[in-house]
Amino acid sequence: MIVFPAIDIQNGHAVRLRQGIKDDSTTYFDDPVEAAVKWCSEGAVFLHVVDLDGAFSGSRCNTGVIGRICEAVNIPVQVGGGIRSEEAIKTYLEKGVNRVIIGSKAVEDEAFITAMAQTYGSSLAVSIDAKGDTVATRGWVSGSNKKVLPFAQFLLSIGVRTIVYTDISRDGMLTGPNMNMLSQLQQLPFIRLIASGGMSSIDDLKALEALHMYGAITGKALYEGRITMEQIRALGGI
């Protein structure tokens, strides 16, 4: 199982939000590149970067910072947040991003995500961010009429393989991941599932590894020392 250190960028800084609330953030690094270099130097093999400003506004004002992250580390980087056009996908891939994560646009425009899945294949992932059993959009502010499992099944049917599932109510709360929903998603054929939201200790990562999860994202627990890169290395997550 790959363990992805999370780097969330807001106003040019590396921050963590609580339950995705824009104004409830804690800054951990003034320069997100410093965070990327730190996790890479401690043995991470893949980074998860989110442009929070892009997620809320749809504008990609942190593209330059993300490009600097890709230049500064020798490991792959996946990026999400406000990616709502093919031009945005191309821009990130040209800057060295390994995998681009589509969120709101995949929920709102099935024709778009179908075309992008066919064009970009494994360079594309979709993020399913949920409030309860309902998929959320636009920086987690808005709801949708889509339910988690049927939407995941649709994504798999059009060729999307990598899916990031986040339980918004647990994100940044250190309460543990939503094992019930993750277990159901993991049973879907062909899925490469990445768990996100709520990691609180190495035991959470062990539980996910026992489900044969493709990956898990950890943010606040890693920044606050509740999970260490040494523990992740021992887990085999790097």
Side-chain angles (χ1 to χ4, degrees):
M1 184 177 77
I2 299 171
V3 177
F4 298 78
I7 302 173
D8 291 0
I9 305 173
Q10 185 180 49
N11 300 322
H13 307 304
V15 308
R16 297 302 298 168
L17 303 185
R18 284 163 48 91
Q19 297 181 319
I21 299 171
K22 181 179 180 180
D23 297 324
D24 191 354
S25 67
T26 301
T27 299
Y28 288 99
F29 288 86
D30 286 334
D31 185 352
V33 177
E34 293 180 22
V37 170
K38 172 181 172 61
W39 303 134
C40 181
S41 68
E42 293 184 12
V45 297
F46 216 129
L47 295 176
H48 176 78
V49 176
V50 177
D51 179 354
L52 290 175
D53 299 308
F56 287 113
S57 70
S59 63
R60 301 188 313 279
C61 55
N62 292 304
T63 305
V65 176
I66 292 167
R68 289 198 295 118
I69 288 174
C70 292
E71 291 174 357
V73 299
N74 59 359
I75 59 174
V77 176
Q78 64 180 23
V79 172
I83 302 170
R84 297 169 189 166
S85 68
E86 184 170 11
E87 183 235 347
I89 296 171
K90 287 180 177 178
T91 297
Y92 277 125
L93 294 177
E94 288 169 357
K95 285 189 172 292
V97 170
N98 177 271
R99 185 161 56 216
V100 175
I101 304 169
I102 309 296
S104 300
K105 187 68 173 177
V107 182
E108 297 167 352
D109 191 339
E110 292 186 355
F112 172 82
I113 193 59
T114 299
M116 294 304 97
Q118 293 171 350
T119 302
Y120 294 98
S122 61
S123 296
L124 193 76
V126 172
S127 180
I128 299 179
D129 307 320
K131 293 184 176 181
D133 189 33
T134 301
V135 180
T137 62
R138 304 285 164 173
W140 300 353
V141 174
S142 303
S144 73
N145 61 358
K146 290 182 169 62
K147 300 299 182 183
V148 171
L149 285 171
F151 184 51
Q153 290 169 326
F154 161 73
L155 294 172
L156 293 166
S157 77
I158 62 170
V160 174
R161 292 291 172 261
T162 305
I163 293 176
V164 182
Y165 169 78
T166 304
D167 184 324
I168 297 169
S169 68
R170 296 169 184 259
D171 193 68
M173 301 302 290
L174 303 170
T175 53
N178 186 336
M179 297 299 293
N180 179 48
M181 181 57 75
L182 288 165
S183 298
Q184 294 180 65
L185 287 166
Q186 181 65 6
Q187 293 172 30
L188 298 176
F190 307 116
I191 196 169
R192 296 202 307 175
L193 184 59
I194 301 175
S196 175
M199 306 305 162
S200 63
S201 71
I202 195 65
D203 289 338
D204 290 332
L205 296 178
K206 288 178 179 178
L208 293 170
E209 187 179 49
L211 290 177
H212 307 292
M213 203 77 57
Y214 164 68
I217 295 166
T218 180
K220 187 173 183 179
L222 188 61
Y223 285 87
E224 297 194 349
R226 293 170 181 253
I227 298 174
T228 67
M229 289 304 301
E230 182 179 8
Q231 289 176 318
I232 292 171
R233 289 196 302 272
L235 181 69
I238 65 166

